[in-house]
Amino acid sequence: MEADREAAPDARPSRRTARVADVRRHGQPPGLKDRRNEEHWAGRLYMRALSPYFAWAALRVGFSPNQLTYLMIVSGVLAGFVVSLPATGTAALWTALGGAVLIQLYLLLDCVDGEVARYLRQTSVGGVFLDRIGHYLSEVALLTGLGFAAQGDWTTGGYVELGLLAALGAALIKAETDNVVVARAKSGLPADPTGGDRALRPRSTRIALARQAASMLKFHRIIGAVELSLLILAAAVLDVLLGTDTPAAMRVLAVVVAVVAVLQTLLHLVSILASRRLN
């Protein structure tokens, strides 16, 4: 058996006889964890160590990659819904915890669907499209849920509007990134610009320094689903400890997130226009 594997390095057992080691070998190719701007820090830190076990189970059960992506989308959107549920005190803590757990499931499925697709050699343009839509919907849902949690009820109000503003910003940031590929494709250029990291850097020294400073502070991460779900949980814990009549910590978080989303939308646009990505 070992001799056969050496002779055919890309040969792999069927999905029914695959082992976890086979999933790691064929579902997590070298360099997967080092992908710039694609691999989440939580994936590198712990989720990629866990995901092969769940990918193995998904292969045995018979899930297709797209079915797993749909489950990822459902878990991400459901996290936003759970966070938005009207609750106060310790009840709000449980909704925040539920949202955080669902986002961890969302991240796990985001890893598993790709590993299953690579193992089965079923990667597709449609799968990539679904994955991107899933990220859009999940972040928008969670940010909207934060707005309702800060408002304290399913009613309209300033905090709901802040959540919607942040959700719009998160969607626009992703759209700005994706439209670089669209613009290059419509111009007959390859998806990735030549020059690697150099093409990503703004041509202006001042803008480049500002981009580097923003990257070091990593303030943009708070509108990401994983980080935001943990911040929502932390705000819920703080509100319980403070014992206030209104979700004060949650409201502060909603304001901060909205400001960051707006600033990041503008800075990201300027960074793209000032770089070589559109050349």
Side-chain angles (χ1 to χ4, degrees), residues 150-202:
Q151 191 68 33
D153 201 352
W154 281 348
T155 57
T156 58
Y159 293 102
V160 174
E161 293 169 1
L162 285 175
L164 292 172
L165 178 63
L168 175 61
L172 285 174
I173 291 167
K174 290 187 179 298
E176 289 168 358
T177 299
D178 290 344
N179 274 291
V180 170
V181 178
V182 173
R184 292 181 63 84
K186 284 182 174 289
S187 300
L189 298 172
D192 295 322
T194 58
D197 291 345
R198 182 172 174 272
L200 302 177
R201 293 196 295 267

Side-chain angles (χ1 to χ4, degrees), residues 4-272:
D4 292 341
R5 293 192 180 198
E6 290 179 6
D10 198 41
R12 60 201 67 183
S14 68
R15 65 186 304 156
R16 299 293 182 183
T17 60
R19 302 171 303 175
V20 174
D22 296 318
V23 176
R24 284 201 184 96
R25 181 183 182 190
H26 300 289
Q28 294 185 346
L32 179 69
K33 296 181 182 180
D34 301 322
R35 296 179 301 175
R36 181 182 175 89
N37 297 328
E38 290 187 43
E39 188 66 15
H40 195 274
W41 61 264
R44 291 191 295 269
L45 186 61
Y46 60 89
M47 198 58 81
R48 285 295 181 185
L50 299 174
S51 58
Y53 295 96
F54 291 89
W56 169 82
L59 286 168
R60 288 297 184 93
V61 172
F63 280 111
S64 71
N66 283 356
Q67 287 173 336
L68 292 166
T69 304
Y70 283 123
L71 288 175
M72 179 199 80
I73 295 172
V74 169
S75 64
V77 173
L78 188 57
F81 172 75
V82 170
V83 166
S84 75
L85 291 172
T88 57
T90 55
L93 181 58
W94 284 109
T95 58
L97 179 60
V101 170
L102 284 166
I103 288 298
Q104 289 299 309
L105 178 60
Y106 153 85
L107 177 61
L108 173 63
L109 290 167
D110 191 28
C111 294
V112 170
D113 65 354
E115 291 170 5
V116 169
R118 283 185 289 272
Y119 190 89
L120 297 175
R121 299 187 183 94
Q122 291 181 3
T123 56
S124 65
V125 175
V128 174
F129 175 79
L130 276 178
D131 187 76
R132 295 297 300 169
I133 290 296
H135 293 307
Y136 273 72
L137 290 175
S138 299
E139 289 193 3
V140 165
L142 191 60
L143 286 161
T144 303
L146 169 62
F148 281 106
Q151 191 68 33
D153 201 352
W154 281 348
T155 57
T156 58
Y159 293 102
V160 174
E161 293 169 1
L162 285 175
L164 292 172
L165 178 63
L168 175 61
L172 285 174
I173 291 167
K174 290 187 179 298
E176 289 168 358
T177 299
D178 290 344
N179 274 291
V180 170
V181 178
V182 173
R184 292 181 63 84
K186 284 182 174 289
S187 300
L189 298 172
D192 295 322
T194 58
D197 291 345
R198 182 172 174 272
L200 302 177
R201 293 196 295 267
R203 286 168 292 208
S204 167
T205 303
R206 291 182 179 179
I207 296 177
L209 289 173
R211 180 177 181 272
Q212 185 177 3
S215 179
M216 290 175 62
L217 293 172
K218 302 187 185 303
F219 71 95
H220 61 283
R221 283 188 174 179
I222 72 170
I223 59 175
V226 175
E227 293 85 353
L228 180 60
S229 67
L230 298 176
L231 288 171
I232 290 173
L233 179 57
V237 171
L238 188 56
D239 279 331
V240 170
L241 294 175
L242 292 174
T244 56
D245 295 332
T246 58
M250 200 73 73
R251 290 181 172 183
V252 170
L253 178 61
V255 172
V256 171
V257 164
V259 171
V260 168
V262 171
L263 287 176
Q264 182 64 13
T265 301
L266 296 174
L267 292 174
H268 191 241
L269 177 62
V270 171
S271 177
I272 290 173

